[in-house]
Amino acid sequence: MDKHASGTLFRRAFGPRLRLVLFFALTWLGVAALLAFLLQDGYRAAERKAESDALAAAGLLEARLAITLRRVQGDLEHLAETFPPDAFKPVAAGRFREQVVRELNLHARGFSEIVGFRVLDAAGTPLYVAGWSVQSAGALDQACLKAPLAGNGRIPCFSEVSLDRLSGRSTMAVALAVPDAATGAGQGVVIALLDIGALARMSDTLNLGASGVMSLRRIEDGRLVLRRPALPELLNLPAMDDPLHARAVEGGGKGIYRFVTPTDGVERIYGFQRVGEYPLYVTTGIATADYLSDWRQTLFMALASAALLFLALSLVLIRLLRAGQEEDLTAGKLVESEARYRMLAENSHDVIWTLDIPSRRYTYVSPSVTDMCGYLPEEVVGEPLEATLTAESAGRIVREVDQRLRRIAAGDKAAGVVVSELEQRCKDGSVIATEVVSSYLLDAEGVPQTILGITRNVSERKAAETALRETNRQLHARIEEIGRLQVALQELAVRDSLTGLYNRRYLDETLEREVSRARREGNPLSLVMLDIDYFKKVNDTYGHQVGDEALRMLASTLQADIRAEDVACRYGGEEFLILLPNMPLETAMLRAEAWRSAVEGVCVALGNFRITFTVSLGVAAYPEHGKTPDDLTRCADQALYRAKNDGRNRVSVFSA
């Protein structure tokens, strides 16, 4: 079976989803195996580092202790050599006491680790003491006393650890025999008292962890000299069946050993080393929990990361499986949608089409083009965009496409859809109006490649719109005519038809408004009332036409000499009234006199006759004569009446 057939068989046996699950399972197993390998390697590295740190700590502590003990030994040897032989005789002790004690105090002050010195004779009787409470020889280790006296070399002897009742210090005596130079027999013993606390402080800088321990033991039986953390109940007790002690004795001076300490049940890696040539060795232990704390944090983080990775991979797998299901559903819906849209396109009355932008040619045209224009779809597909358009519409659509492409390239998203009205040429030569909705479709790089268009025949709608526009035009013309008539009617409602001046109705409204304004703003206001003298005589003598002409000429004279804000009205018959806003009484009198004089020079032509007439005027002002429209009108009327009584053709001002 060749490879191709095997691959085909595998794909058939394992579907896409099962292959995906297998891939993720193998990936997770690979990550788990790699993680286990790294954790195991980290565990071994932590162990190696702990062993190295324990051995290094033991070596450092051994070096410090060895230096201290050598200094103490050197000091003892120096004292033994410098004391006179007679100083060891009890009978001469009084003679040498001051000299020897001074020398001992001097040496005691030079060493922080030494509490004091004591000098014994050969019988063990204390002769000299410095910095040390006086006590009997029985308090010392007798074995330590006998050994140097028996001549066991120059190595100091170490006593058990004892507690000084006076100072409260834990101490250990270091004794060195002083031989007689002549006979070689022992003359006495020089003893230095070591402060165990000072020795313990040498381990302060060691980093052994929270559960780390250090100890100092005697090599012959493992008796405990010093331990941190301290266990006072174990001091001076030998190490019974202690594998660490056995290893220290047999291990050649230094080494590493791992075991669970019986005293606290904690497993540690111990480093041990003998202290120089002395019968002591040190141990430093790093607890497994301490040196694995970082590794356990790493383990926790690794397990948490693995769990998160597993969760993430599971979520991704679930997402991919769901995506596959959704893709299958989408593909099925896409097929259904394509079939549905093809059915809509083929049965729609509108023409649906697509155009390739680079070539500007149709790539698809729905069958409804036959009903709209008479062309078969295959007759239009492959033709250029302007093939079925009129010349004007073709030029316009080409410019529109170029403009839209430039706007889309500039980032204008609104340019992607456009509605145009174009004229289409049918196969029979007729032209129809169409509405075209064009959508510019972009590729993955955002470049427009295709135009999707929908063309609708709007000829009937265009005809209806044309008819509607004509109807609207006619309606607007009629509305404008009605407006003009309304304006003219409003003018007729407030104008006197004979003189063209405002009528009394308009005067009543305006006078009320102007009096209110003058009262509100504190401005003056004047009112002039006039009528033609002997007007009835003119009518009776010359006729009403001459009288009407006289009224018109009087109105023209008044209008020729009034301000824009003044209001001239025909009050009734031959009476006129002029409203003068913002004009004080004195100015109004001058204006009235000017009108009287101007009217006096006016004449009405009747054939060869020239008919003249005069006017009488009455003036009243706000607020001097009245504060209401009726009061002002009444005062102006009374002033006019007074002017007539005083001889006519004059101006009269109201007076109470």
Side-chain angles (χ1 to χ4, degrees), residues 17-31:
R17 292 184 179 83
L18 184 56
R19 291 200 300 270
L20 185 62
V21 172
L22 289 175
F23 170 77
F24 273 91
L26 293 175
T27 301
W28 166 245
L29 290 176
V31 171

Side-chain angles (χ1 to χ4, degrees), residues 368-430:
S368 53
V369 69
T370 303
D371 296 332
M372 182 179 293
C373 299
Y375 293 102
L376 295 175
E378 53 269 20
E379 293 177 323
V380 182
V381 172
E383 292 295 321
L385 173 63
E386 60 273 14
T388 60
L389 300 176
T390 62
E392 187 275 333
S393 294
R396 181 153 48 87
I397 193 62
V398 169
R399 291 191 298 272
E400 179 71 26
V401 170
D402 294 336
Q403 180 186 10
R404 293 286 167 168
L405 292 177
R406 287 194 297 271
R407 288 177 57 185
I408 293 173
D412 186 359
K413 296 181 178 180
V417 179
V418 59
V419 179
S420 308
E421 291 188 355
L422 304 174
E423 291 183 341
Q424 301 270 357
R425 289 188 293 103
C426 297
K427 193 172 183 178
D428 59 4
S430 61

Side-chain angles (χ1 to χ4, degrees), residues 338-481:
E338 182 179 357
R340 182 167 57 253
Y341 281 111
R342 180 170 294 277
M343 180 188 67
L344 292 175
E346 292 177 353
N347 293 278
S348 173
H349 293 290
D350 298 335
V351 178
I352 301 173
W353 50 269
T354 57
L355 181 83
D356 179 59
I357 293 179
S359 64
R360 303 289 177 92
R361 293 183 178 274
Y362 291 103
T363 56
Y364 171 78
V365 179
S366 65
S368 53
V369 69
T370 303
D371 296 332
M372 182 179 293
C373 299
Y375 293 102
L376 295 175
E378 53 269 20
E379 293 177 323
V380 182
V381 172
E383 292 295 321
L385 173 63
E386 60 273 14
T388 60
L389 300 176
T390 62
E392 187 275 333
S393 294
R396 181 153 48 87
I397 193 62
V398 169
R399 291 191 298 272
E400 179 71 26
V401 170
D402 294 336
Q403 180 186 10
R404 293 286 167 168
L405 292 177
R406 287 194 297 271
R407 288 177 57 185
I408 293 173
D412 186 359
K413 296 181 178 180
V417 179
V418 59
V419 179
S420 308
E421 291 188 355
L422 304 174
E423 291 183 341
Q424 301 270 357
R425 289 188 293 103
C426 297
K427 193 172 183 178
D428 59 4
S430 61
V431 176
I432 60 173
T434 60
E435 180 184 75
V436 180
V437 179
S438 303
S439 300
Y440 289 74
L441 307 182
L442 310 181
D443 60 11
E445 298 178 355
V447 178
Q449 296 290 343
T450 303
I451 298 178
L452 171 63
I454 300 175
T455 301
R456 175 174 294 178
N457 188 346
V458 294
S459 298
E460 294 181 358
R461 192 188 73 187
K462 296 290 287 186
E465 289 177 353
T466 302
L468 181 60
R469 281 195 297 269
E470 178 61 24
T471 302
N472 286 337
R473 187 190 64 77
Q474 295 177 4
L475 180 59
H476 283 300
R478 291 181 182 180
I479 290 174
E480 291 176 358
E481 180 64 23

Side-chain angles (χ1 to χ4, degrees), residues 116-160:
F117 289 94
R118 178 189 289 266
V119 178
L120 308 179
D121 62 7
T125 303
L127 299 178
Y128 310 103
V129 177
W132 194 353
S133 60
V134 179
Q135 48 187 295
S136 64
L140 298 174
D141 186 356
Q142 296 302 316
C144 185
L145 176 63
K146 295 174 182 178
L149 293 178
N152 287 347
R154 301 295 294 172
I155 299 301
C157 179
F158 297 88
S159 72
E160 292 185 346

Side-chain angles (χ1 to χ4, degrees), residues 20 89 98 101 198 272 306 318 321-322 326 338-339 358 476 484 513 517 536 639:
L20 185 62
K89 298 177 180 180
E98 182 178 356
V101 171
F272 59 87
I318 293 172
L321 293 176
R322 288 181 178 176
E326 292 174 358
E338 182 179 357
H476 283 300
R484 288 192 297 270
R513 183 174 62 252
R517 180 185 299 173
K536 186 176 184 303

